[in-house]
C-alpha cells in the first residue's frame, strides 16, 4: 500500500464536540489518483470518479486526509456484466506491519451470478476476521451507498444505511481495537482472478475489458471531542452513538439471517482450538 503522504492534515480528538462533514465531497479536493495512469479519472467537475481495469493494469486512489474515527460514505456502481476475477476494494487503512484496516471488497462474478461483498477488520497487523454477504439488489444497475462507522465502541459496516456487520471493541478480553492509528481511505480495481471467483477457478474474460466502476457522493463526518455521546440515535446518522437502535438491530439480523454466506466466528474447522475471543462477545459480531 502507498506510503503516507506528508503534509496532509490528520483529524484527531480534542475536548469539545465539533461535527464536520463534506457533503457530496469533490474528488479533486479530497482524493489523489495514485496508480493506473489514465485508467483512474475524475470528471463532472469533481463529482464523479471512475476506476478501470484492463489486461495491462488496474487503478486506484487514496484520500488526501487521514481519519481517526468518523463516518465515511461513498456511492459505488460496480463493474457490470461478466466481472469474474475482478475485485473492487474500498477500505480504510493505516501503514506499517502493525497497521489497522477496515475493508469492503466486492468480488466479481460471471454474468447473472451475484457479487460477493467481503468484509474484514485488521488490528495491529492481524486480520482473518472475514464476513461475506450477498447483496439484496444488483449493485451494477445503480449507485448504492457503502458506509463505515468507526468510533470507540464499534465499527459498523452499512449498505444503503442498513447495518450488515458490527465489530465491537473487545479490548476487555484482550482483543486489540483500532483507536490510535489514523487511516486513509483507499480504493482500487484490480485483477484477482487467482482467488476472487470460485477460489480462482473462473478467470477474467479480457475480451470484456475495460472493466469500470464508478464513485460519487463521498462524505466524511468526523469530530473533535468526545465521540462517545449517546444523546442521538444511530438511525438519525449520529455515528458517535454507542449502540444500534432497535430498528437497526432488526435490519442487522435480517441481513445476517438472509444474506450472510460466511462468518469466521462460525468456522469451527478453521478455529478447531476455539473461536476468537471477540466472537464470544456478541451474537452480532
Amino acid at each position: 500500500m502507498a506510503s503516507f503522504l506528508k503534509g496532509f492534515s490528520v483529524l484527531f480528538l480534542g475536548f469539545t464536540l465539533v461535527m464536520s462533514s463534506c457533503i457530496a465531497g469533490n474528488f479533486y479536493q479530497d482524493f489523489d489518483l495514485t496508480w493506473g495512469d489514465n485508467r483512474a479519472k475524475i470528471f463532472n467537475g469533481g463529482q464523479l470518479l471512475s476506476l478501470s481495469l484492463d489486461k495491462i493494469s488496474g487503478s486506484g486512489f487514496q484520500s488526501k486526509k487521514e481519519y481517526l474515527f468518523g463516518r465515511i460514505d461513498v456511492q459505488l456502481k460496480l463493474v457490470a456484466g461478466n466481472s469474474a476475477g475482478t475485485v473492487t476494494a474500498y477500505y480504510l487503512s493505516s501503514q506499517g506491519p502493525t497497521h489497522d484496516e477496515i475493508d469492503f471488497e466486492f468480488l466479481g462474478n460471471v454474468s447473472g451470478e451475484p457479487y460477493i461483498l467481503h468484509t474484514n477488520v485488521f488490528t495491529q497487523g492481524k486480520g482473518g476476521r472475514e464476513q461475506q454477504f450477498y447483496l439484496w439488489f444488483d449493485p451494477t444497475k445503480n449507485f448504492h451507498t457503502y458506509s463505515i462507522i468507526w468510533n470507540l465502541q464499534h465499527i459498523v459496516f452499512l449498505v444503503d444505511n442498513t447495518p450488515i456487520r458490527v465489530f465491537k471493541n473487545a479490548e476487555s478480553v484482550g482483543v486489540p481495537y483500532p483507536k490510535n492509528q489514523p487511516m486513509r481511505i483507499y480504493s482500487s480495481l484490480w485483477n484477482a482472478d487467482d482467488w476472487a471467483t470460485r477460489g480462482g477457478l473462473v478467470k477474467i474474460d479480457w475480451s470484456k475489458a475495460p472493466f469500470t466502476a464508478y464513485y460519487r457522493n463521498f462524505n466524511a463526518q468526523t469530530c473533535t471531542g468526545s465521540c462517545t455521546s449517546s444523546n442521538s440515535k444511530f438511525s438519525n446518522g449520529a455515528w458517535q452513538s454507542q449502540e444500534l437502535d432497535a430498528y437497526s438491530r432488526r435490519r442487522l439480523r435480517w441481513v445476517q439471517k438472509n444474506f450472510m454466506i460466511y462468518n469466521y466466528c462460525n468456522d469451527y474447522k478453521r478455529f478447531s482450538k476455539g473461536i476468537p475471543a471477540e466472537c464470544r462477545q456478541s451474537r452480532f459480531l
Side-chain angles (χ1 to χ4, degrees):
M1 295 180 186
S3 61
F4 281 106
L5 299 179
K6 296 180 180 179
F8 293 137
S9 60
V10 181
L11 305 178
F12 286 104
L13 300 179
F15 290 100
T16 305
L17 182 66
V18 178
M19 296 302 297
S20 65
S21 63
C22 42
I23 304 300
N26 186 292
F27 284 108
Y28 284 122
Q29 297 173 1
D30 297 322
F31 293 93
D32 290 317
L33 306 180
T34 49
W35 64 285
D37 297 322
N38 62 355
R39 295 172 187 83
K41 298 177 182 178
I42 299 174
F43 44 102
N44 283 13
Q47 299 304 304
L48 195 64
L49 184 152
S50 68
L51 295 181
S52 290
L53 164 70
D54 58 31
K55 201 167 187 177
I56 297 173
S57 178
S59 51
F61 65 88
Q62 69 181 48
S63 63
K64 295 178 184 291
K65 291 181 179 179
E66 299 163 8
Y67 300 90
L68 185 61
F69 305 120
R71 174 171 178 147
I72 307 296
D73 305 278
V74 72
Q75 292 188 328
L76 278 78
K77 184 162 68 170
L78 297 176
V79 174
N82 185 355
S83 59
T86 71
V87 169
T88 306
Y90 160 59
Y91 58 100
L92 288 165
S93 183
S94 59
Q95 298 293 307
T98 59
H99 76 289
D100 297 330
E101 188 171 323
I102 305 168
D103 291 344
F104 275 114
E105 289 187 308
F106 302 90
L107 313 186
N109 214 331
V110 296
S111 298
E113 295 298 318
Y115 265 82
I116 292 175
L117 172 52
H118 175 99
T119 66
N120 204 350
V121 176
F122 286 73
T123 60
Q124 296 184 11
K126 180 181 180 296
R129 301 181 175 97
E130 303 91 348
Q131 290 186 359
Q132 295 183 336
F133 306 84
Y134 289 136
L135 295 167
W136 50 97
F137 52 82
D138 183 344
T140 71
K141 296 296 185 183
N142 296 293
F143 284 92
H144 293 269
T145 304
Y146 303 92
S147 308
I148 294 167
I149 292 176
W150 171 32
N151 61 31
L152 283 169
Q153 288 74 40
H154 56 213
I155 296 163
V156 185
F157 297 76
L158 304 100
V159 176
D160 289 339
N161 211 39
T162 292
I164 65 169
R165 176 179 185 176
V166 177
F167 181 83
K168 289 192 174 183
N169 186 330
E171 289 180 298
S172 62
V173 294
V175 180
Y177 185 79
K179 66 177 185 180
N180 297 316
Q181 300 185 58
M183 302 195 227
R184 273 189 223 282
I185 302 164
Y186 297 87
S187 190
S188 57
L189 175 56
W190 52 290
N191 173 5
D193 70 2
D194 57 335
W195 66 273
T197 306
R198 294 185 58 202
L201 294 177
V202 182
K203 303 299 184 181
I204 291 179
D205 180 358
W206 292 111
S207 71
K208 306 298 184 184
F211 305 95
T212 304
Y214 296 91
Y215 302 72
R216 71 180 187 188
N217 290 348
F218 165 71
N219 178 34
Q221 299 177 36
T222 60
C223 79
T224 56
S226 172
C227 290
T228 60
S229 170
S230 59
N231 295 326
S232 301
K233 291 185 178 180
F234 176 86
S235 58
N236 291 335
W239 61 267
Q240 76 276 19
S241 176
Q242 293 188 30
E243 299 294 340
L244 304 187
D245 62 18
Y247 174 76
S248 296
R249 291 195 300 272
R250 288 195 299 271
R251 295 290 287 172
L252 176 64
R253 288 193 292 268
W254 174 75
V255 171
Q256 295 194 341
K257 177 181 177 181
N258 295 290
F259 300 99
M260 178 183 280
I261 58 174
Y262 178 79
N263 182 359
Y264 77 108
C265 285
N266 296 333
D267 194 338
Y268 299 105
K269 182 177 180 181
R270 176 180 172 188
F271 299 107
S272 59
K273 296 182 180 179
I275 61 173
E278 69 268 19
C279 295
R280 299 189 288 270
Q281 287 291 98
S282 171
R283 61 187 293 192
F284 298 126
L285 287 170

